Amino acid sequence: MKINPPQLKVLSIDIGGSHVKATVLDEKGVLLTGYNKVVTPIPANPGNMVEAIKTLAIAFPEYDRISVGFPGYVRDGIVKTAPNLDNASWANFNLAKKLEEVLGKPARVVNDADMQGLGVVDGKGLEMVLTLGTGFGTALLLDGKLLPHLEVGQSPVTKNKTYDNYIGEKAFEKEGKGKWNERLKIVLKNMQTLFNYDYLYIGGGNAREINFELDKNVKIVSNKDGIKGGARLWTADTKPMPVVPSSTIK
């Protein structure tokens, strides 16, 4: 008699500037439970964040893997920057290792836009993901494989503003919906010129505030779609393509 292998169950967590959300997925990214969320702690330092995740995890049934989308630069599960959280306290914090110690399951941590990208792209050509929330997140994938993460949100778009400052939540609140949308048009033109993507996906809480017609190769996606990328962290080859050192180029 054929015995089916045990079903993979992934606790998938999305850390945002206002809330931390979680659900449990199967290996195909299908939700096995509903979503739960808690308010992002203040200050949003590693200790408080781990406690918030523990609170979320208690509410879920059994799971055997953990995936986290984190709003900052992450390498091999280690947080390097967290510009929209308590930034200085996160420098070189091994969040993946800490969660494995606290929750007792293998954990993987990537940038939140990268995880969303894994959940929404078609896997054909050069695809880009933008997240419009507390800050401005980006991810690039080539034929479904993550490219090295770029912190575009921390790059200048004007003489004195980064993309985070220019199009993030604080800018939306200060400038209002109309001016924010005019800024977004500029941002989208910049991204198309800079990356020349085949397809663009826009997510994050403020994606619903877009009031102009998008190009045919642009699609709005939900955070619930993005969190499904937590399953692909365990079922696909998600290690970013290596950067070729300039010294090797003839």
Side-chain angles (χ1 to χ4, degrees):
M1 183 177 67
K2 182 178 180 181
I3 300 177
N4 294 324
Q7 184 183 46
L8 181 68
K9 297 179 181 179
V10 181
L11 176 64
S12 190
I13 300 166
D14 177 35
I15 297 176
S18 57
H19 290 89
V20 183
K21 301 175 282 290
T23 188
V24 176
L25 311 168
D26 69 11
E27 66 274 5
K28 295 181 180 179
V30 176
L31 275 67
L32 300 177
T33 69
Y35 284 85
N36 282 344
K37 66 180 180 179
V38 296
V39 174
T40 300
I42 301 176
N45 56 40
N48 288 342
M49 189 64 70
V50 170
E51 286 301 314
I53 291 173
K54 283 173 60 180
T55 299
L56 273 175
I58 290 171
F60 290 100
E62 290 187 6
Y63 52 88
D64 43 43
R65 298 288 190 276
I66 303 165
S67 294
V68 180
F70 184 88
Y73 187 80
V74 182
R75 181 180 292 176
D76 298 327
I78 301 172
V79 176
K80 300 296 182 178
T81 65
N84 292 300
L85 300 178
D86 189 32
N87 192 26
S89 67
W90 284 97
N92 294 311
F93 182 78
N94 195 328
L95 182 57
K97 181 179 179 182
K98 185 62 177 180
L99 291 178
E100 288 179 351
E101 293 173 356
V102 171
L103 300 179
K105 303 293 182 181
R108 291 181 178 175
V109 182
V110 296
N111 173 267
D112 56 346
D114 284 350
M115 191 165 88
Q116 184 162 49
L118 289 170
V120 303
V121 300
D122 285 336
K124 298 176 182 178
L126 181 63
E127 296 175 284
M128 187 172 192
V129 176
L130 303 182
T131 57
L132 305 174
T134 304
F136 177 75
T138 63
L140 284 167
L141 298 94
L142 181 61
D143 295 331
K145 186 174 177 60
L146 280 174
L147 295 176
H149 183 72
L150 302 173
E151 279 289 88
V152 178
Q154 305 310 305
S155 302
V157 62
T158 69
K159 185 179 294 186
N160 58 1
K161 285 184 173 65
T162 65
Y163 281 94
D164 264 11
N165 304 143
Y166 188 70
I167 204 71
E169 177 64 25
K170 289 182 179 179
F172 183 89
E173 294 175 352
K174 180 181 178 181
E175 305 296 342
K177 184 172 180 177
K179 187 170 181 178
W180 181 87
N181 271 277
E182 291 305 309
R183 287 184 173 188
L184 183 58
K185 291 177 183 178
I186 295 171
V187 169
L188 295 183
K189 184 177 180 180
N190 289 352
M191 294 301 104
Q192 175 63 65
T193 301
L194 182 60
F195 296 104
N196 198 27
Y197 51 75
D198 296 307
Y199 212 91
L200 176 68
Y201 304 83
I202 303 177
N206 282 338
R208 62 178 174 267
E209 304 293 348
I210 296 174
N211 65 5
F212 57 92
E213 186 175 355
L214 297 168
D215 292 340
K216 292 182 179 180
N217 66 334
V218 180
K219 178 182 179 181
I220 294 177
V221 295
S222 72
N223 287 342
K224 289 184 177 182
D225 292 326
I227 205 169
K228 296 177 182 178
R232 290 206 63 214
L233 281 179
W234 294 99
T235 60
D237 179 11
T238 57
K239 188 175 180 60
M241 291 180 174
V243 177
V244 178
S246 58
S247 60
T248 66
I249 301 175
K250 304 299 184 181

